[in-house]
Amino acid sequence: MKVKRLSIGLSPVTLERAKEHLRVMSSDFDNNIRGLLEAAITAAENYTGLKLREYEYSVTGDFARVIKTGIMPIKEVLVRVDGSEVDNVDWEDSAVILLDTCAGSKIDIKITTGFDIFPDDITAAILLITGKLFENPADSVENLPKASSNLLNAYKRWGR
């Protein structure tokens, strides 16, 4: 299977929310905070194995009834088998599952990731990481702040 990221959606935590958390009232640090916020989201994604922004992916390859994509959480799926759109597709964790009535040779899947309601504990973890990066700009951050990793542990994909 070939997996390709097609697009990146909006950040799950806004610049305004990060500035509020950091108690920054001016726009003097906006570019810096925006970059730190993106780094914090990426750190949380790397730690959990989840796609926290809304991404769009293309997965192509030979036909199979169960396609393990490694992409989570899946929000929406569009499947084409030999160029024809397929209905009655299901997904569980990072696997796309086709019904037994479907057959073909090539498969093309478009996956949209994300949460319908973004979890508050992940938001808090991202804000804590952003704060750590903002307070220690010259420090090499080797580990996530303990509170943020504790908040993210419930979402971590162990054994990936």
Side-chain angles (χ1 to χ4, degrees):
M1 286 289 153
K2 180 180 176 185
V3 177
K4 180 180 178 183
R5 186 172 64 201
L6 302 174
S7 67
I8 300 174
L10 298 175
S11 172
V13 181
T14 64
L15 173 65
E16 291 74 24
R17 181 68 182 97
K19 287 174 63 174
E20 180 183 313
H21 174 76
L22 298 170
R23 295 177 177 86
V24 173
M25 301 302 156
S26 74
S27 60
D28 295 346
F29 299 101
D30 282 6
N31 287 336
N32 183 38
I33 294 169
R34 192 175 290 111
L36 298 175
L37 180 58
E38 289 302 311
I41 294 166
T42 299
E45 287 180 335
N46 290 340
Y47 185 82
T48 62
L50 299 177
K51 305 299 178 190
L52 302 178
R53 298 173 186 91
E54 189 171 281
Y55 293 100
E56 187 174 291
Y57 286 90
S58 170
V59 180
T60 56
D62 294 331
F63 178 84
R65 296 216 183 283
V66 177
I67 299 97
K68 295 183 180 180
T69 66
I71 301 168
M72 282 181 67
I74 296 174
K75 185 176 184 178
E76 191 176 301
V77 174
L78 172 67
V79 178
R80 294 185 188 280
V81 175
D82 296 335
S84 299
E85 191 172 327
V86 176
D87 294 329
N88 299 325
V89 176
D90 199 8
W91 59 85
E92 182 177 313
D93 294 328
S94 67
V96 175
I97 304 160
L98 304 178
L99 296 179
D100 292 337
T101 57
C102 183
S105 60
K106 296 292 181 190
I107 193 161
D108 181 22
I109 306 170
K110 298 284 187 269
I111 297 174
T112 304
T113 64
F115 293 88
D116 290 328
I117 299 172
F118 198 77
D120 291 334
D121 42 356
I122 295 179
T123 299
I126 290 168
L127 292 171
L128 288 168
I129 297 166
T130 304
K132 175 77 171 176
L133 294 169
F134 186 74
E135 292 169 8
N136 300 299
D139 184 23
S140 66
V141 181
E142 294 176 18
N143 296 314
L144 295 180
K146 186 66 174 166
S148 63
S149 59
N150 286 342
L151 289 166
L152 294 172
N153 277 340
Y155 298 92
K156 188 171 176 119
R157 294 176 54 201
W158 301 94
R160 58 182 162 95

